[in-house]
Amino acid sequence: AQSVTQLGSHVSVSEGALVLLRCNYSSSVPPYLFWYVQYPNQGLQLLLKYTTGATLVKGINGFEAEFKKSETSFHLTKPSAHMSDAAEYFCAVSDGNNDMRFGAGTRLTVKP
Amino acid sequence: NAGVTQTPKFRILKIGQSMTLQCAQDMNHNYMYWYRQDPGMGLKLIYYSVGAGITDKGEVPNGYNVSRSTTEDFPLRLELAAPSQTSVYFCASSYPGRESTEAFFGQGTRLTVV
């Protein structure tokens, strides 16, 4: 079975600073990896995904993530945080079919 | 384009009552899922379905039932509500394939059992 560990349940950055949200996964098959964002009282929205091919994946709102197989990681980054980035972020791993597992989430706070 | 629609958005139940959370999708996705979200726990899979007439248990199925009579609908049934079922419930759908494997989520149902 797959699993995801998100390091840090809460990350706080200043506006304009680098955002780094960490995700490590475990999978017995080549993984499909995802980052979702959840704004208050909303459902989850896909930020970006890795399936195959290029290991650096660009998503919406200036976010990107790099798949590093040797480190079993899929960290999410954004060069410059904006106030509107404040939300909860979930990393997920899938076997490409019905088994998608989510991390516990990281709440991002952006300070003015 | 409605995507995944969940009803109701909010509900308060008394212990022992039953209810059905509705979920419908209009994307012709064959896979559908029910998750519950608890603070600090991420999302846990309750049940999933790979197509009409086929359902299977996820990580936390106890206390819930599902059915999938059509491709579009995937209702979640709580028979005897318990305080431990207080949570936010999300329905999702997907069409697994090489490039289209992500899940699309509804807006959630916030359920409180008192």
Side-chain angles (χ1 to χ4, degrees):
Chain A
Q2 296 134 135
S3 65
V4 170
T5 302
Q6 289 184 242
L7 299 175
S9 59
H10 188 202
V11 170
S12 181
V13 301
S14 297
E15 192 173 19
L18 171 72
V19 176
L20 171 60
L21 304 183
R22 299 178 187 273
C23 172
N24 288 90
Y25 70 90
S26 171
S27 179
S28 57
V29 298
Y32 292 84
L33 294 159
F34 308 85
W35 276 100
Y36 284 86
V37 60
Q38 184 182 33
Y39 298 102
N41 300 314
Q42 299 281 317
L44 278 70
Q45 177 184 359
L46 182 70
L47 268 181
L48 50 80
K49 66 179 178 181
Y50 168 79
T51 54
T52 59
T55 56
L56 181 62
V57 180
K58 295 186 186 297
I60 61 173
N61 302 338
F63 284 93
E64 62 182 36
E66 187 170 10
F67 169 57
K68 292 187 176 181
K69 184 178 178 181
S70 61
E71 299 177 10
T72 60
S73 69
F74 191 56
H75 302 329
L76 182 70
T77 60
K78 182 174 180 178
S80 177
H82 192 273
M83 297 296 291
S84 61
D85 294 327
E88 187 143 22
Y89 293 80
F90 291 93
C91 182
V93 61
S94 168
D95 63 359
N97 291 301
N98 50 282
D99 193 0
M100 179 177 281
R101 301 297 175 107
F102 286 82
T106 298
R107 182 167 299 279
L108 176 66
T109 300
V110 182
K111 299 175 291 185
Chain B
N1 192 4
V4 179
T5 303
Q6 290 183 237
T7 55
K9 288 187 168 53
F10 304 94
R11 183 72 184 269
I12 298 175
L13 277 183
K14 293 184 178 179
I15 295 172
Q17 286 185 320
S18 62
M19 78 164 293
T20 299
L21 282 66
Q22 301 292 343
C23 175
Q25 54 92 9
D26 62 359
M27 297 174 282
N28 202 31
H29 286 171
N30 52 343
Y31 283 47
M32 295 188 75
Y33 315 82
W34 274 105
Y35 291 90
R36 59 177 288 171
Q37 182 182 25
D38 300 298
M41 301 294 288
L43 280 76
K44 300 294 186 184
L45 182 64
I46 304 171
Y47 271 94
Y48 67 94
S49 169
V50 302
I54 306 169
T55 63
D56 210 343
K57 296 177 180 178
E59 301 172 79
V60 290
N62 292 343
Y64 307 94
N65 279 299
V66 293
S67 60
R68 183 93 181 272
S69 57
T70 66
T71 299
E72 294 78 20
D73 300 299
F74 190 42
L76 177 72
R77 178 89 178 153
L78 284 70
E79 292 293 349
L80 292 170
S84 61
Q85 294 177 305
T86 293
S87 188
V88 181
Y89 292 83
F90 288 100
C91 179
S93 71
S94 70
Y95 195 93
R98 190 171 182 84
E99 297 297 330
S100 303
T101 190
E102 72 264 28
F104 294 79
F105 285 81
Q107 294 295 294
T109 296
R110 186 174 296 273
L111 176 67
T112 303
V113 181
V114 297

